[in-house]
Amino acid sequence: MPITADTLRRRCAEEMGAAARGFGDASWLRDAFLAVPRDHFAPTRVWWPSPREDGLYSLIDRDERPNAWLKAVYSPGVALITQMDDGLVSPDGAAKGALTSSLSSSGVIIELLRHLAPVPGSRPPARRPASREAARTPDRARRRHLRPSAPA
C-alpha cells in the first residue's frame, strides 16, 4: 500500500490518541486534526532535528524524497527545523548552524489547543496597546517602548 498524507495523518492521530498528552476527551480536536492536512502548511524543505554523526542536520526535500518528507511532517513528537542562523543558512542540503525556527510538532500543537479549550465562536484576545504592555515590562524596556513620538 502506498504511503499517502491521509494514511500518515490517520496514523499520527492514532498515536496521539493513545498518548497521555494527546487528544484526551476532546474528540473535536481529533476531528479537526484529521480534517486539516498538516502537509499543506509545512515548508518544502526542512531539516531533521537530530544531527548526524558528522554534526550536520539532514535536509528533507519534499520534491526529492516525498515519502520521507511526509513521514517527518506526520511524526507526532518531532519539531522540524525550518531555519538556521536566522535564515543565513540556505536549505540546499545538510547543514550546521543555530536552529532559529521550526515547525512545531503535531503533539505540541494538539496539547496546546487542548489546554486552550476554545469553544465555537470564541475569538483570540485583542492586542493590547503598547503602553499597557510596557507597564508589564522592566524599566529599561518600558523606557524604550514609551519614548515620546516626534511632534507632528
Side-chain angles (χ1 to χ4, degrees):
M1 185 167 154
I3 294 174
T4 66
D6 190 51
T7 301
L8 292 172
R9 188 168 46 254
R10 281 182 167 46
R11 189 179 302 162
C12 183
E14 287 172 16
E15 285 182 47
M16 289 190 299
R21 296 168 54 177
F23 297 115
D25 60 354
S27 61
W28 64 269
L29 191 50
R30 185 179 196 286
D31 295 343
F33 180 81
L34 289 170
V36 178
R38 178 175 169 79
D39 54 295
H40 290 197
F41 301 95
T44 303
R45 295 176 176 173
V46 295
W47 287 281
W48 187 254
S50 300
R52 306 182 310 202
E53 287 184 20
D54 61 3
L56 298 176
Y57 293 88
S58 297
L59 184 74
I60 306 170
D61 187 317
R62 179 181 64 197
D63 297 331
E64 293 178 11
R65 298 174 49 213
N67 288 344
W69 182 85
L70 274 173
K71 286 179 182 179
V73 168
Y74 286 106
S75 295
V78 178
L80 300 170
I81 308 307
T82 59
Q83 184 185 79
M84 286 190 208
D85 290 334
D86 291 325
L88 295 176
V89 175
S90 180
D92 296 327
K96 188 175 188 176
L99 311 179
T100 54
S101 186
S102 66
L103 175 67
S104 297
S105 73
S106 300
V108 166
I109 298 299
I110 294 304
E111 187 171 3
L112 291 172
L113 286 171
R114 189 170 42 81
H115 286 293
L116 179 62
V119 295
S122 64
R123 296 175 47 152
R127 294 219 12 112
R128 295 183 183 111
S131 58
R132 243 176 102 194
E133 285 299 317
R136 299 171 46 183
T137 61
D139 287 340
R140 188 163 72 218
R142 186 177 307 138
R143 286 191 301 271
R144 186 174 60 240
H145 288 291
L146 295 179
R147 287 186 188 136
S149 56

